[in-house]
Amino acid sequence: MAEVQVQDKSAKGGKVRSKKNNPRVDMTPMVDLNFLLLMFFMFTSTFSKPNVMDLGLPAKPDPNAPKPPPTEIDLSNSITLLLGKDNRVFWHQQDQAGLNDQTMIETSLDREGIREIIKQAKARAKKKDLFTVIIKPTDDAVYKNFVDILDEMAITKSERYGVTDVKPYEKAVYDKKVGN
């Protein structure tokens, strides 16, 4: 609020003189109003929600439960995807003895590429309910490609998949394919 100028009578001649004070504006109500508006807009707006991908992770085993017998994945019931540099994706259905330049095949990350490969491999599987996709990102892979592969798992309804490290024999064939 502005202050009021006060008049006083001086001793000389009884003239009325006004005191010359500079007007002062009280900013407290304006600050209060700004904080009220700020809180109003904070409480009434919605914050952006993070994009989260649901991963189905296995439950922790009971330490008292007996250990299951070791299982080996049949190669016809699985496919291995290697994510490489420059948005390159390779796949194979071989073990260490059968993996070479010709059996590790390159494909693309689009629907005609990796999606069709996964669908065809699932159709050829002996036990379709046990079909497993093994995802192996290399050190050169980009995170976006990993997310794209996880999206393909949801699109192709591949419920069984795992993420693991590249084996040394796969790394040797991969390096030969990409020219390292």
Side-chain angles (χ1 to χ4, degrees):
M1 295 184 165
E3 292 182 2
V4 179
Q5 295 180 356
V6 179
Q7 297 179 350
D8 66 344
K9 293 185 178 186
S10 73
K12 299 180 189 175
K15 293 184 182 176
V16 177
R17 281 192 156 172
S18 63
K19 232 183 194 180
K20 294 195 177 183
N21 289 335
N22 292 333
R24 189 175 76 84
V25 177
D26 187 12
M27 296 296 285
T28 307
M30 188 177 300
V31 172
D32 287 344
L33 180 65
N34 282 338
F35 278 118
L36 286 172
L37 286 173
L38 179 67
M39 286 191 299
F40 171 77
F41 287 116
M42 281 178 58
F43 290 132
T44 57
S45 64
T46 58
F47 294 106
S48 63
K49 294 183 174 123
N51 294 335
V52 178
M53 182 175 291
D54 187 27
L55 291 177
L57 300 175
K60 290 186 178 180
D62 184 15
N64 301 328
K67 300 260 184 202
T71 57
E72 189 171 317
I73 298 174
D74 186 6
L75 292 176
S76 69
N77 288 335
S78 71
I79 185 171
T80 302
L81 306 176
L82 268 81
L83 304 177
K85 67 178 178 179
D86 300 329
N87 300 326
R88 296 174 75 180
V89 180
F90 299 92
W91 66 275
H92 69 84
Q93 287 183 294
Q94 303 294 322
D95 58 357
Q96 183 174 358
L99 188 63
N100 58 35
D101 292 355
Q102 287 76 35
T103 55
M104 183 181 281
I105 303 164
E106 185 173 1
T107 186
S108 61
L109 278 168
D110 57 6
R111 75 175 62 177
E112 290 84 24
I114 196 66
R115 190 176 303 169
E116 284 302 313
I117 298 294
I118 294 170
K119 286 180 182 178
Q120 291 170 6
K122 191 185 254 188
R124 288 190 309 262
K126 290 179 187 172
K127 296 181 181 178
K128 292 175 184 27
D129 58 327
L130 296 179
F131 180 74
T132 306
V133 179
I134 304 166
I135 304 167
K136 297 183 178 185
T138 63
D139 292 338
D140 303 327
V142 181
Y143 183 72
K144 179 191 176 302
N145 293 345
F146 180 72
V147 172
D148 290 344
I149 289 295
L150 292 180
D151 287 342
E152 291 298 329
M153 296 299 105
I155 292 169
T156 59
K157 296 180 178 65
S158 299
E159 296 174 358
R160 298 173 72 100
Y161 58 90
V163 181
T164 186
D165 294 329
V166 180
K167 304 278 187 212
Y169 66 90
E170 291 172 321
K171 178 82 170 129
V173 176
Y174 166 77
D175 287 342
K176 196 185 281 186
K177 290 283 273 188
V178 296
N180 285 344

